[in-house]
Amino acid sequence: MGEYILSKALKGHYAVGAFNFATLEVLKAIMSSAEDCHSPVILQISEQAMSFMGDEYLKGVISATRKQATVPVSFHLDHGKSLDSVKRAIEIGCDSVMIDASMLPFEDNVSITSKVVEYAHERGVYVEAELGSLAGIEDDINVSEENSVYTSPKQAKEFVDRTGVDSLAIAIGTKHGAYKYSSESRLNMDILKEIERALPNIPLVLHGASGVEAAQVNKLFELGVDIRGAKGLSRDLLEEVSSSNICKINGDTDIRIAYLIGILSDIQENKSNIDYRKYLSSGMREVAGLVADRMNLYKSAGRA
Ligand code: G3H
Ligand code: 13P
Ligand code: ZN
């Protein structure tokens, strides 16, 4: 197995952005920023995205990207729910896979994750698993409810020791999608520190880490898309965690928002255009701008 992209990040105190794609255009936009920023990058694909693109097409796209890339690029299965999905992802050429059995009881999570680790490691593929529940922290949630969603540092240590996973996704207060917080975003940094103490050599992963900035939400509203009330993680928190043992920061919602803003703005400004390459290129530029911004925030720029 070659060196794990996240081991370098752990040593270097930065985080690699893991960006979801489901079309060739989004993948190319992400890659163009990685190359401009001289940054390592993780391109991740969900089960749904894999089906949307089709396995054979994806295989070709992955192989072409690798041939052309001038920076370290790693393909990753995002939220694999079964050994079958993992097998499929490895078959199309992923370098790492996530098995997400976090919704199952602890012992079942250990059992399925261990099977995936055995299968993947035999094939030179790294494994990320998840422990805890990505429920977010609402203002009206009480302390014991709040604690029940976080990853337990003690369980995290036992989980990693028993499964042999290469990285661990933890729950410290984030949530998937556009609506993460009703007021200020926050993360439980105390839990993060405890997990770091229990597992100093394991790269940690932050899911649900899109910023969903107010300016973007307002821009979308002007363009006719109403996600008012959506709010993500603050830039300060993202910057802070990228120097911690969190070595992979996942973002999909921000990509979707940027792509949509680029496309819709172009369509509004060019009312007689019917060439999709034009408005898709505008979408790609927005995605590339977002990704470059994140690579600087996560301090992965210049680390390629
Ligand atoms: O965490 C989930 C990602 O945002 C993927 O979403 O399953 O709709 O492709 P998806
Ligand atoms: P966001 O919904 O915050 O972009 O999170 C995406 C993610 O965690 C993919 O695994
Ligand atoms: Zn996720």
Side-chain angles (χ1 to χ4, degrees):
M1 278 160 95
E3 191 184 8
Y4 191 26
I5 193 165
L6 300 185
S7 304
K8 264 188 101 171
L10 186 66
K11 283 183 220 139
H13 306 288
Y14 62 91
V16 183
F19 304 100
N20 288 67
F21 72 97
T23 71
L24 181 58
E25 292 78 20
V26 171
L27 178 151
K28 285 176 71 175
I30 298 166
M31 278 311 294
S32 72
S33 291
E35 299 197 330
D36 286 351
C37 294
H38 302 286
S39 171
V41 64
I42 297 172
L43 289 158
Q44 56 183 16
I45 177 134
S46 68
E47 290 176 344
Q48 285 195 71
M50 201 153 48
S51 297
F52 183 74
M53 287 193 74
D55 296 25
E56 281 307 311
Y57 286 113
L58 252 179
K59 215 179 194 171
V61 163
I62 290 175
S63 141
T65 307
R66 277 195 212 295
K67 264 187 216 143
Q68 291 176 32
T70 59
V71 293
V73 52
S74 194
F75 284 90
H76 176 80
L77 170 68
D78 187 32
H79 292 283
K81 288 288 194 296
S82 64
L83 184 58
D84 279 347
S85 289
V86 164
K87 289 181 178 171
R88 217 174 131 194
I90 293 176
E91 167 60 27
I92 63 168
C94 283
D95 306 278
S96 58
V97 291
M98 175 188 192
I99 176 71
D100 179 6
S102 59
M103 70 303 294
L104 298 178
F106 182 77
E107 285 302 324
D108 296 342
N109 192 354
V110 168
S111 165
I112 177 167
T113 301
S114 304
K115 286 193 187 90
V116 165
V117 168
E118 189 186 346
Y119 182 87
H121 282 183
E122 272 172 11
R123 289 155 183 83
V125 170
Y126 292 99
V127 179
E128 169 189 332
E130 179 169 323
L131 197 59
S133 129
L134 255 66
I137 318 170
E138 296 304 335
D139 285 342
D140 54 0
I141 186 171
N142 66 43
V143 175
S144 71
E145 277 172 335
E146 192 171 313
N147 282 332
S148 75
V149 303
Y150 296 137
T151 304
S152 141
K154 194 164 163 276
Q155 269 197 344
K157 166 101 179 89
E158 182 185 342
F159 185 82
V160 170
D161 287 347
R162 285 176 64 190
T163 57
V165 285
D166 305 291
S167 58
L168 184 69
I170 55 168
I172 54 168
T174 56
K175 192 176 180 178
H176 286 112
Y179 301 86
K180 300 182 195 298
Y181 299 99
S182 40
S183 54
E184 273 319 290
S185 60
R186 57 196 170 109
L187 293 176
N188 193 321
M189 301 304 270
D190 293 338
I191 299 258
L192 171 59
K193 288 198 183 85
E194 274 188 60
I195 298 172
E196 286 178 336
R197 272 195 293 274
L199 291 165
N201 302 316
I202 288 287
L204 304 173
V205 180
L206 192 65
H207 282 248
S210 278
V212 197
E213 291 181 9
Q216 302 292 88
V217 174
N218 293 339
K219 181 94 200 165
L220 270 184
F221 187 65
E222 281 167 24
L223 293 165
V225 179
D226 190 354
I227 57 162
R228 283 174 298 171
K231 189 177 173 68
L233 268 186
S234 71
R235 298 179 72 81
D236 288 351
L237 284 175
L238 284 168
E239 195 174 5
E240 188 179 345
V241 293
S242 63
S243 309
S244 75
N245 284 13
I246 289 177
C247 300
K248 173 172 177 274
I249 300 184
N250 286 11
D252 186 4
T253 301
D254 276 343
I255 300 264
R256 296 177 187 199
I257 291 174
Y259 199 38
L260 197 49
I261 287 176
I263 291 171
L264 292 177
S265 306
D266 190 297
I267 290 172
Q268 288 216 348
E269 283 158 22
N270 301 287
K271 300 269 191 220
S272 58
N273 171 55
I274 58 164
D275 183 346
Y276 55 75
R277 287 169 298 197
K278 184 155 189 332
Y279 54 78
L280 291 183
S281 296
S282 296
M284 289 166 76
R285 275 193 293 280
E286 281 292 323
V287 169
L290 164 85
V291 169
D293 174 63
R294 300 289 130 164
M295 286 173 166
N296 284 299
L297 201 56
Y298 305 162
K299 297 175 274 292
S300 70
R303 309 288 190 136

